mmCIF file of all heavy atoms in Angstrom:
data_model
loop_
_atom_site.group_PDB
_atom_site.id
_atom_site.type_symbol
_atom_site.label_atom_id
_atom_site.label_comp_id
_atom_site.label_asym_id
_atom_site.label_seq_id
_atom_site.Cartn_x
_atom_site.Cartn_y
_atom_site.Cartn_z
ATOM 1 N N MET R 159 -8.531 -2.505 -153.637
ATOM 2 C CA MET R 159 -7.523 -1.504 -153.370
ATOM 3 C C MET R 159 -6.189 -1.926 -154.043
ATOM 4 O O MET R 159 -5.804 -3.093 -153.955
ATOM 5 C CB MET R 159 -7.351 -1.338 -151.892
ATOM 6 C CG MET R 159 -6.358 -0.246 -151.469
ATOM 7 S SD MET R 159 -6.519 0.012 -149.680
ATOM 8 C CE MET R 159 -6.309 1.729 -149.748
ATOM 9 N N ALA R 162 0.540 -0.488 -153.441
ATOM 10 C CA ALA R 162 1.382 0.727 -153.702
ATOM 11 C C ALA R 162 2.681 0.385 -154.398
ATOM 12 O O ALA R 162 3.450 -0.361 -153.894
ATOM 13 C CB ALA R 162 1.617 1.429 -152.360
ATOM 14 N N GLY R 163 2.870 0.945 -155.593
ATOM 15 C CA GLY R 163 4.120 0.643 -156.295
ATOM 16 C C GLY R 163 5.109 1.780 -155.962
ATOM 17 O O GLY R 163 4.764 2.792 -155.365
ATOM 18 N N PRO R 164 6.362 1.603 -156.413
ATOM 19 C CA PRO R 164 7.377 2.621 -156.087
ATOM 20 C C PRO R 164 7.128 3.925 -156.620
ATOM 21 O O PRO R 164 7.670 4.935 -156.170
ATOM 22 C CB PRO R 164 8.670 2.004 -156.583
ATOM 23 C CG PRO R 164 8.312 0.809 -157.457
ATOM 24 C CD PRO R 164 6.891 0.454 -157.135
ATOM 25 N N GLU R 165 6.335 4.038 -157.739
ATOM 26 C CA GLU R 165 6.115 5.287 -158.350
ATOM 27 C C GLU R 165 4.861 6.068 -157.741
ATOM 28 O O GLU R 165 4.612 7.189 -158.103
ATOM 29 C CB GLU R 165 5.928 5.201 -159.870
ATOM 30 C CG GLU R 165 4.687 4.440 -160.302
ATOM 31 C CD GLU R 165 4.849 2.852 -160.179
ATOM 32 O OE1 GLU R 165 5.911 2.350 -159.982
ATOM 33 O OE2 GLU R 165 3.740 2.272 -160.153
ATOM 34 N N MET R 166 4.157 5.364 -156.906
ATOM 35 C CA MET R 166 2.925 5.911 -156.235
ATOM 36 C C MET R 166 3.415 7.049 -155.280
ATOM 37 O O MET R 166 4.380 6.918 -154.581
ATOM 38 C CB MET R 166 2.128 4.933 -155.539
ATOM 39 C CG MET R 166 1.579 3.825 -156.374
ATOM 40 S SD MET R 166 0.150 4.252 -157.322
ATOM 41 C CE MET R 166 -1.078 4.411 -156.033
ATOM 42 N N ARG R 167 2.586 8.098 -155.207
ATOM 43 C CA ARG R 167 2.876 9.213 -154.321
ATOM 44 C C ARG R 167 2.618 8.875 -152.887
ATOM 45 O O ARG R 167 1.671 8.272 -152.556
ATOM 46 C CB ARG R 167 2.116 10.487 -154.775
ATOM 47 C CG ARG R 167 2.456 10.843 -156.142
ATOM 48 C CD ARG R 167 2.442 12.148 -156.620
ATOM 49 N NE ARG R 167 2.700 13.312 -155.745
ATOM 50 C CZ ARG R 167 3.655 14.175 -156.099
ATOM 51 N NH1 ARG R 167 4.423 13.982 -157.080
ATOM 52 N NH2 ARG R 167 3.820 15.201 -155.276
ATOM 53 N N ALA R 168 3.532 9.271 -152.032
ATOM 54 C CA ALA R 168 3.455 9.014 -150.580
ATOM 55 C C ALA R 168 2.726 10.212 -149.886
ATOM 56 O O ALA R 168 2.828 11.329 -150.323
ATOM 57 C CB ALA R 168 4.838 8.795 -150.006
ATOM 58 N N SER R 169 2.113 9.909 -148.784
ATOM 59 C CA SER R 169 1.391 10.883 -147.984
ATOM 60 C C SER R 169 2.258 11.385 -146.847
ATOM 61 O O SER R 169 3.371 10.815 -146.551
ATOM 62 C CB SER R 169 0.119 10.331 -147.474
ATOM 63 O OG SER R 169 0.343 9.353 -146.469
ATOM 64 N N ASP R 170 1.829 12.376 -146.177
ATOM 65 C CA ASP R 170 2.556 12.895 -144.945
ATOM 66 C C ASP R 170 2.575 11.785 -143.940
ATOM 67 O O ASP R 170 3.533 11.682 -143.229
ATOM 68 C CB ASP R 170 1.876 14.143 -144.401
ATOM 69 C CG ASP R 170 2.087 15.400 -145.301
ATOM 70 O OD1 ASP R 170 3.082 15.408 -146.042
ATOM 71 O OD2 ASP R 170 1.304 16.365 -145.190
ATOM 72 N N GLY R 171 1.472 11.080 -143.804
ATOM 73 C CA GLY R 171 1.431 9.990 -142.794
ATOM 74 C C GLY R 171 2.486 8.902 -143.118
ATOM 75 O O GLY R 171 3.076 8.379 -142.205
ATOM 76 N N ASP R 172 2.655 8.550 -144.399
ATOM 77 C CA ASP R 172 3.665 7.598 -144.806
ATOM 78 C C ASP R 172 5.052 8.157 -144.442
ATOM 79 O O ASP R 172 5.905 7.363 -143.927
ATOM 80 C CB ASP R 172 3.660 7.343 -146.366
ATOM 81 C CG ASP R 172 2.329 6.714 -146.851
ATOM 82 O OD1 ASP R 172 1.768 5.910 -146.015
ATOM 83 O OD2 ASP R 172 1.852 7.128 -147.901
ATOM 84 N N ARG R 173 5.326 9.433 -144.657
ATOM 85 C CA ARG R 173 6.625 10.009 -144.360
ATOM 86 C C ARG R 173 6.807 9.991 -142.756
ATOM 87 O O ARG R 173 7.878 9.727 -142.331
ATOM 88 C CB ARG R 173 6.740 11.429 -144.840
ATOM 89 C CG ARG R 173 7.035 11.515 -146.332
ATOM 90 C CD ARG R 173 7.260 12.869 -146.892
ATOM 91 N NE ARG R 173 5.998 13.588 -147.096
ATOM 92 C CZ ARG R 173 5.306 13.413 -148.264
ATOM 93 N NH1 ARG R 173 5.761 12.544 -149.196
ATOM 94 N NH2 ARG R 173 4.168 14.066 -148.478
ATOM 95 N N ASP R 174 5.754 10.215 -141.956
ATOM 96 C CA ASP R 174 5.852 10.149 -140.552
ATOM 97 C C ASP R 174 6.215 8.723 -140.046
ATOM 98 O O ASP R 174 6.995 8.589 -139.147
ATOM 99 C CB ASP R 174 4.544 10.586 -139.935
ATOM 100 C CG ASP R 174 4.343 12.084 -140.076
ATOM 101 O OD1 ASP R 174 5.295 12.870 -140.384
ATOM 102 O OD2 ASP R 174 3.159 12.570 -139.915
ATOM 103 N N LYS R 175 5.617 7.692 -140.747
ATOM 104 C CA LYS R 175 5.925 6.381 -140.360
ATOM 105 C C LYS R 175 7.384 6.046 -140.619
ATOM 106 O O LYS R 175 8.091 5.425 -139.775
ATOM 107 C CB LYS R 175 5.084 5.358 -141.099
ATOM 108 C CG LYS R 175 3.617 5.355 -140.640
ATOM 109 C CD LYS R 175 2.802 4.475 -141.474
ATOM 110 C CE LYS R 175 1.302 4.617 -141.165
ATOM 111 N NZ LYS R 175 0.446 3.832 -142.068
ATOM 112 N N VAL R 176 7.905 6.465 -141.793
ATOM 113 C CA VAL R 176 9.308 6.223 -142.070
ATOM 114 C C VAL R 176 10.225 7.019 -141.078
ATOM 115 O O VAL R 176 11.268 6.524 -140.661
ATOM 116 C CB VAL R 176 9.645 6.617 -143.506
ATOM 117 C CG1 VAL R 176 11.118 6.571 -143.863
ATOM 118 C CG2 VAL R 176 8.847 5.695 -144.471
ATOM 119 N N ALA R 177 9.758 8.218 -140.723
ATOM 120 C CA ALA R 177 10.619 8.946 -139.719
ATOM 121 C C ALA R 177 10.640 8.291 -138.459
ATOM 122 O O ALA R 177 11.705 8.217 -137.772
ATOM 123 C CB ALA R 177 9.952 10.396 -139.584
ATOM 124 N N SER R 178 9.559 7.604 -137.959
ATOM 125 C CA SER R 178 9.528 6.821 -136.760
ATOM 126 C C SER R 178 10.530 5.635 -136.894
ATOM 127 O O SER R 178 11.240 5.336 -135.897
ATOM 128 C CB SER R 178 8.136 6.288 -136.485
ATOM 129 O OG SER R 178 7.293 7.317 -136.217
ATOM 130 N N VAL R 179 10.517 4.977 -138.074
ATOM 131 C CA VAL R 179 11.448 3.882 -138.263
ATOM 132 C C VAL R 179 12.906 4.407 -138.139
ATOM 133 O O VAL R 179 13.827 3.810 -137.510
ATOM 134 C CB VAL R 179 11.190 3.171 -139.598
ATOM 135 C CG1 VAL R 179 12.318 2.247 -139.952
ATOM 136 C CG2 VAL R 179 9.844 2.504 -139.589
ATOM 137 N N LEU R 180 13.199 5.551 -138.812
ATOM 138 C CA LEU R 180 14.593 6.084 -138.768
ATOM 139 C C LEU R 180 14.946 6.480 -137.350
ATOM 140 O O LEU R 180 16.041 6.195 -136.936
ATOM 141 C CB LEU R 180 14.706 7.345 -139.692
ATOM 142 C CG LEU R 180 14.589 7.024 -141.192
ATOM 143 C CD1 LEU R 180 14.535 8.328 -142.018
ATOM 144 C CD2 LEU R 180 15.789 6.180 -141.636
ATOM 145 N N ARG R 181 14.052 7.074 -136.578
ATOM 146 C CA ARG R 181 14.305 7.388 -135.232
ATOM 147 C C ARG R 181 14.601 6.149 -134.360
ATOM 148 O O ARG R 181 15.569 6.118 -133.515
ATOM 149 C CB ARG R 181 13.115 8.155 -134.596
ATOM 150 C CG ARG R 181 13.154 9.628 -134.875
ATOM 151 C CD ARG R 181 12.169 10.366 -134.012
ATOM 152 N NE ARG R 181 10.763 10.034 -134.379
ATOM 153 C CZ ARG R 181 10.047 10.639 -135.312
ATOM 154 N NH1 ARG R 181 10.704 11.539 -136.006
ATOM 155 N NH2 ARG R 181 8.832 10.367 -135.541
ATOM 156 N N LEU R 198 16.634 12.221 -142.801
ATOM 157 C CA LEU R 198 15.480 13.007 -142.514
ATOM 158 C C LEU R 198 15.275 14.146 -143.496
ATOM 159 O O LEU R 198 14.099 14.393 -143.910
ATOM 160 C CB LEU R 198 15.515 13.627 -141.038
ATOM 161 C CG LEU R 198 15.149 12.755 -139.923
ATOM 162 C CD1 LEU R 198 15.242 13.466 -138.600
ATOM 163 C CD2 LEU R 198 13.808 12.156 -140.100
ATOM 164 N N LEU R 201 13.973 12.518 -146.436
ATOM 165 C CA LEU R 201 12.618 11.994 -146.213
ATOM 166 C C LEU R 201 11.522 13.031 -146.518
ATOM 167 O O LEU R 201 10.582 12.778 -147.205
ATOM 168 C CB LEU R 201 12.576 11.557 -144.761
ATOM 169 C CG LEU R 201 11.131 11.149 -144.245
ATOM 170 C CD1 LEU R 201 10.638 9.922 -144.869
ATOM 171 C CD2 LEU R 201 11.155 11.123 -142.744
ATOM 172 N N TYR R 202 11.757 14.218 -145.986
ATOM 173 C CA TYR R 202 10.674 15.225 -146.159
ATOM 174 C C TYR R 202 10.710 15.832 -147.559
ATOM 175 O O TYR R 202 9.809 16.703 -147.878
ATOM 176 C CB TYR R 202 10.814 16.276 -145.033
ATOM 177 C CG TYR R 202 10.420 15.627 -143.683
ATOM 178 C CD1 TYR R 202 11.301 15.342 -142.698
ATOM 179 C CD2 TYR R 202 9.117 15.265 -143.448
ATOM 180 C CE1 TYR R 202 10.976 14.683 -141.569
ATOM 181 C CE2 TYR R 202 8.674 14.620 -142.363
ATOM 182 C CZ TYR R 202 9.597 14.369 -141.352
ATOM 183 O OH TYR R 202 9.230 13.689 -140.184
ATOM 184 N N SER R 204 10.938 13.657 -150.141
ATOM 185 C CA SER R 204 10.573 12.469 -150.966
ATOM 186 C C SER R 204 9.057 12.617 -151.328
ATOM 187 O O SER R 204 8.259 13.056 -150.552
ATOM 188 C CB SER R 204 10.755 11.191 -150.105
ATOM 189 O OG SER R 204 12.057 10.949 -149.884
ATOM 190 N N LYS R 205 8.822 12.147 -152.583
ATOM 191 C CA LYS R 205 7.437 12.241 -153.050
ATOM 192 C C LYS R 205 6.757 10.874 -153.301
ATOM 193 O O LYS R 205 5.582 10.756 -153.246
ATOM 194 C CB LYS R 205 7.420 13.028 -154.348
ATOM 195 C CG LYS R 205 7.720 14.443 -154.257
ATOM 196 C CD LYS R 205 7.663 15.244 -155.522
ATOM 197 C CE LYS R 205 7.862 16.671 -155.490
ATOM 198 N NZ LYS R 205 9.050 17.209 -154.784
ATOM 199 N N THR R 206 7.578 9.803 -153.568
ATOM 200 C CA THR R 206 7.012 8.509 -153.876
ATOM 201 C C THR R 206 7.427 7.464 -152.852
ATOM 202 O O THR R 206 8.456 7.635 -152.108
ATOM 203 C CB THR R 206 7.520 8.054 -155.314
ATOM 204 O OG1 THR R 206 8.909 7.889 -155.287
ATOM 205 C CG2 THR R 206 7.152 9.093 -156.333
ATOM 206 N N TYR R 207 6.704 6.319 -152.950
ATOM 207 C CA TYR R 207 7.075 5.247 -152.085
ATOM 208 C C TYR R 207 8.468 4.654 -152.346
ATOM 209 O O TYR R 207 9.193 4.229 -151.484
ATOM 210 C CB TYR R 207 6.029 4.063 -152.223
ATOM 211 C CG TYR R 207 4.739 4.355 -151.534
ATOM 212 C CD1 TYR R 207 3.566 4.535 -152.340
ATOM 213 C CD2 TYR R 207 4.656 4.373 -150.168
ATOM 214 C CE1 TYR R 207 2.372 4.765 -151.704
ATOM 215 C CE2 TYR R 207 3.438 4.610 -149.553
ATOM 216 C CZ TYR R 207 2.299 4.833 -150.256
ATOM 217 O OH TYR R 207 1.113 5.034 -149.644
ATOM 218 N N GLY R 208 8.864 4.700 -153.637
ATOM 219 C CA GLY R 208 10.199 4.287 -154.020
ATOM 220 C C GLY R 208 11.280 5.144 -153.347
ATOM 221 O O GLY R 208 12.284 4.546 -152.867
ATOM 222 N N GLU R 209 11.092 6.419 -153.271
ATOM 223 C CA GLU R 209 12.065 7.282 -152.612
ATOM 224 C C GLU R 209 12.131 6.961 -151.118
ATOM 225 O O GLU R 209 13.141 7.019 -150.502
ATOM 226 C CB GLU R 209 11.730 8.754 -152.861
ATOM 227 C CG GLU R 209 11.938 9.188 -154.346
ATOM 228 C CD GLU R 209 11.424 10.541 -154.601
ATOM 229 O OE1 GLU R 209 10.609 11.079 -153.833
ATOM 230 O OE2 GLU R 209 11.807 11.174 -155.589
ATOM 231 N N LEU R 210 10.986 6.711 -150.527
ATOM 232 C CA LEU R 210 10.944 6.400 -149.164
ATOM 233 C C LEU R 210 11.591 5.071 -148.845
ATOM 234 O O LEU R 210 12.315 4.988 -147.851
ATOM 235 C CB LEU R 210 9.480 6.331 -148.602
ATOM 236 C CG LEU R 210 8.633 7.587 -148.583
ATOM 237 C CD1 LEU R 210 7.247 7.359 -148.071
ATOM 238 C CD2 LEU R 210 9.349 8.676 -147.727
ATOM 239 N N ALA R 211 11.448 4.132 -149.738
ATOM 240 C CA ALA R 211 11.976 2.766 -149.548
ATOM 241 C C ALA R 211 13.540 2.825 -149.569
ATOM 242 O O ALA R 211 14.214 2.143 -148.884
ATOM 243 C CB ALA R 211 11.497 1.861 -150.598
ATOM 244 N N LEU R 213 15.426 5.017 -148.319
ATOM 245 C CA LEU R 213 15.930 5.565 -147.062
ATOM 246 C C LEU R 213 16.079 4.445 -145.989
ATOM 247 O O LEU R 213 16.864 4.656 -145.123
ATOM 248 C CB LEU R 213 14.916 6.624 -146.476
ATOM 249 C CG LEU R 213 14.770 7.888 -147.410
ATOM 250 C CD1 LEU R 213 13.674 8.752 -146.848
ATOM 251 C CD2 LEU R 213 16.047 8.631 -147.509
ATOM 252 N N THR R 214 15.351 3.345 -146.111
ATOM 253 C CA THR R 214 15.454 2.325 -145.139
ATOM 254 C C THR R 214 15.874 1.004 -145.712
ATOM 255 O O THR R 214 15.846 -0.046 -145.114
ATOM 256 C CB THR R 214 14.095 2.098 -144.435
ATOM 257 O OG1 THR R 214 13.088 1.797 -145.417
ATOM 258 C CG2 THR R 214 13.702 3.338 -143.632
ATOM 259 N N LEU R 222 6.712 -1.218 -135.754
ATOM 260 C CA LEU R 222 6.598 -0.188 -134.679
ATOM 261 C C LEU R 222 5.599 -0.550 -133.605
ATOM 262 O O LEU R 222 5.677 -0.146 -132.497
ATOM 263 C CB LEU R 222 6.217 1.184 -135.319
ATOM 264 C CG LEU R 222 7.237 1.814 -136.228
ATOM 265 C CD1 LEU R 222 6.664 3.074 -136.851
ATOM 266 C CD2 LEU R 222 8.483 2.127 -135.490
#
Side-chain angles (χ1 to χ4, degrees):
M159 184 168 217
E165 67 283 342
M166 298 282 290
R167 301 215 27 125
S169 69
D170 289 338
D172 296 324
R173 282 185 277 280
D174 289 342
K175 288 177 187 175
V176 174
S178 296
V179 169
L180 290 174
R181 276 192 290 279
L198 278 182
L201 169 72
Y202 289 109
S204 298
K205 293 182 174 54
T206 65
Y207 285 112
E209 291 172 342
L210 293 180
L213 297 172
T214 58
L222 295 176

